Amino acid sequence: MHLAPLQIVALPGSLRRGSVNRALLQAAQLLAPWNTTVRLFDGIGALPLFSPDLESAVPPGPAELRSVLVASDAILIACPEYAHGVPGAFKNALDWVVGCADLPSKPVGLLNAALRAEHAQAALAEIIATMNHQLIQEACLRIPISKDMDASAIVRDEQLAARLSSALSALAAAAIRQRETGESPLVRLP
């Protein structure tokens, strides 16, 4: 039986090009399991501010985000913590998809490049649960990396690469189970 490749969409919570959380997602692209593609969605900074008044005619940027998410098998988020919360631009992106009726439940992994980012991780876990997506505990990690590391340095670091690969494998396995059974994976909070 031929399995179609898995599609994991990677959402960076930081708009900064040199963000270590973005580097984690870029490393995930390089470490993707067999038959899995990790696609970095880079349009979060261009999204207009969410307004329920615009939901009847969704603007192009939010429509593209929704389309990418609908077409994916799983979602991988790497998000920093700003002032004990989720960065505003990233929360805005989530607001654009929270009411998307076409977006079925997806397995989700949450990454963070700082050990102290527990408030944002908890807030994201609550938002993801509210959106009816399923957090996969094994794919929810804090992987502390130094600010000067890029994706290739993460991949070269055996310990970091192994932890990230393990998270990706868990997320891919949940997506395969959901694809095969048509059921959402069990909710497991980090």
Side-chain angles (χ1 to χ4, degrees):
M1 175 169 79
H2 175 71
L3 292 175
L6 284 176
Q7 301 292 324
I8 297 175
V9 64
L11 301 176
S14 175
L15 300 181
R16 196 167 60 85
R17 288 280 167 212
S19 161
V20 290
N21 285 289
R22 177 182 295 276
L24 275 176
L25 294 177
Q26 291 167 331
Q29 289 179 298
L30 299 171
L31 295 169
W34 175 84
N35 208 29
T36 302
T37 300
V38 176
R39 175 184 176 191
L40 186 67
F41 180 80
D42 233 355
I44 289 175
L47 298 176
L49 291 176
F50 173 75
S51 170
D53 292 337
L54 299 175
E55 289 233 281
S56 60
V58 178
E64 179 188 6
L65 174 59
R66 288 178 175 190
S67 175
V68 166
L69 290 171
V70 167
S72 72
D73 295 294
I75 302 167
L76 184 63
I77 297 170
C79 187
E81 182 172 301
Y82 292 171
H84 282 193
V86 177
F90 193 67
K91 176 63 169 77
N92 181 59
L94 295 175
D95 288 342
W96 274 110
V97 297
V98 74
C100 180
D102 296 336
L103 182 58
S105 178
K106 306 275 182 180
V108 177
L110 297 177
L111 302 176
N112 194 289
L115 284 176
R116 298 181 316 224
E118 61 192 58
H119 298 288
Q121 288 288 87
L124 280 169
E126 179 63 27
I127 293 166
I128 296 304
T130 300
M131 294 171 71
N132 201 33
H133 296 301
Q134 310 303 317
L135 287 174
I136 306 305
Q137 182 178 4
E138 299 85 358
C140 295
L141 300 176
R142 289 186 189 100
I143 303 177
I145 59 175
S146 65
K147 294 183 188 236
D148 60 345
M149 291 185 88
D150 62 7
S152 59
I154 295 167
V155 170
R156 285 192 309 270
D157 184 301
E158 289 181 21
Q159 185 179 13
L160 295 177
R163 291 189 69 208
L164 185 53
S165 292
S166 178
L168 287 166
S169 293
L171 188 59
I176 289 169
R177 282 190 305 274
Q178 184 172 358
R179 186 188 274 183
E180 289 175 349
T181 65
E183 296 177 10
S184 298
L186 296 174
V187 175
R188 293 183 267 165
L189 297 177

